[in-house]
Amino acid sequence: MKAYFHKLVCLLPMFCSACALITPTTAVHQPMTARPEPAPAAVSGGSIFGLATRPLFEDRRARLVGDTLTINLVERTQASKNANANATRSGSTNVGFNTALGVPGKFLSPLSVAGTDDTSFSGKGAAAANNAFTGTITVTVIEVYPNGNLLVSGEKQIAINQGQEFIRFSGVVNPAYVTSSNSVQSVQVADARVEYKGSGYIDEAQTMGWLQRVFLNVLPF
């Protein structure tokens, strides 16, 4: 028994390390990087620049698979909603019988019946959201569309103590928006997908357990 317990204690740090290195799932376009195609063999035609090099007066803006592009993250979203509804209805009824001579059943007179009805409803609702995401990330062109647009994707990993932070971005870039410094604003990227996730025991402590999630989805109250 002690031998099994000793083995379990020895394997526990390895298991914890493996859990800390688990990469969270992502929804950004795959793959997150791409290598450029091999350049054609240089042909000696008497010129200084051959086919294997870029033209002399061409800038270094991203335009081919494997080129890199810097994304300036300037995402800001703000939304608010207020709703208010009121409804009121009231009514009253009063019926009376006066004493009448010569009418049988005088013991029923005088007789009166009265009734009231009052219904009211009031409802209010409010919702607000304010999010900000700023920073920079350099991505790689993973595909060039027939119209010239660039599908880019990339990831940045930051290790902090025993946890890791993952910043991911992907989207479609119009080359016309790329500046001379080979950068583009994230608000100018179509189909943009931005993620900021973490892994490690700190992130796990902030996550609801799987059994608790099962009860949360199953219990009717």
Side-chain angles (χ1 to χ4, degrees), residues 81-130:
K81 179 182 179 181
N82 292 309
N84 191 356
N86 291 291
T88 303
R89 185 180 66 178
S90 61
S92 61
T93 303
N94 191 353
V95 179
F97 300 93
N98 295 326
T99 303
L101 296 177
V103 177
K106 292 182 179 182
F107 64 92
L108 296 177
S109 301
L111 180 64
S112 63
V113 178
T116 60
D117 180 27
D118 189 2
T119 303
S120 62
F121 169 79
S122 178
K124 294 182 179 181
N130 190 358

Side-chain angles (χ1 to χ4, degrees), residues 3-211:
Y4 287 109
F5 180 76
H6 180 70
K7 292 181 180 180
L8 181 61
V9 172
C10 294
L11 293 176
L12 185 60
M14 299 176 59
F15 177 76
C16 294
S17 301
C19 293
L21 296 177
I22 293 177
T23 303
T25 58
T26 179
V28 302
H29 297 88
Q30 300 294 324
M32 291 187 187
T33 186
R35 293 181 178 273
E37 297 180 359
V43 179
S44 178
S47 61
I48 298 177
F49 295 91
L51 297 176
T53 59
R54 290 176 179 259
L56 178 63
F57 299 102
E58 181 181 314
D59 57 23
R60 301 296 297 183
R61 300 182 189 183
R63 65 180 183 88
L64 301 174
V65 174
D67 290 349
T68 59
L69 176 68
T70 300
I71 305 294
N72 296 320
L73 300 174
V74 288
E75 297 296 323
R76 292 184 180 274
T77 58
Q78 185 174 1
S80 61
K81 179 182 179 181
N82 292 309
N84 191 356
N86 291 291
T88 303
R89 185 180 66 178
S90 61
S92 61
T93 303
N94 191 353
V95 179
F97 300 93
N98 295 326
T99 303
L101 296 177
V103 177
K106 292 182 179 182
F107 64 92
L108 296 177
S109 301
L111 180 64
S112 63
V113 178
T116 60
D117 180 27
D118 189 2
T119 303
S120 62
F121 169 79
S122 178
K124 294 182 179 181
N130 190 358
N131 302 298
F133 197 129
T134 59
T136 58
I137 181 174
T138 300
V139 296
T140 305
V141 178
I142 60 176
E143 185 178 352
V144 179
Y145 291 160
N147 61 353
N149 289 342
L150 311 174
L151 178 61
V152 299
S153 182
E155 178 185 63
K156 180 188 293 185
Q157 297 186 21
I158 303 174
I160 303 176
N161 293 332
Q162 299 184 18
Q164 282 187 320
E165 303 293 330
F166 297 85
I167 304 175
R168 295 162 174 163
F169 183 90
S170 68
V172 180
V173 177
N174 186 340
Y177 296 145
V178 181
T179 64
S180 58
S181 60
N182 198 34
S183 63
V184 66
Q185 303 293 320
S186 62
V187 294
Q188 297 174 321
V189 179
D191 195 16
R193 302 181 185 180
V194 187
E195 291 183 355
Y196 182 80
K197 296 183 178 181
S199 66
Y201 70 93
I202 296 179
D203 182 73
E204 293 176 357
Q206 299 174 350
T207 304
M208 184 184 297
W210 65 269
L211 185 58

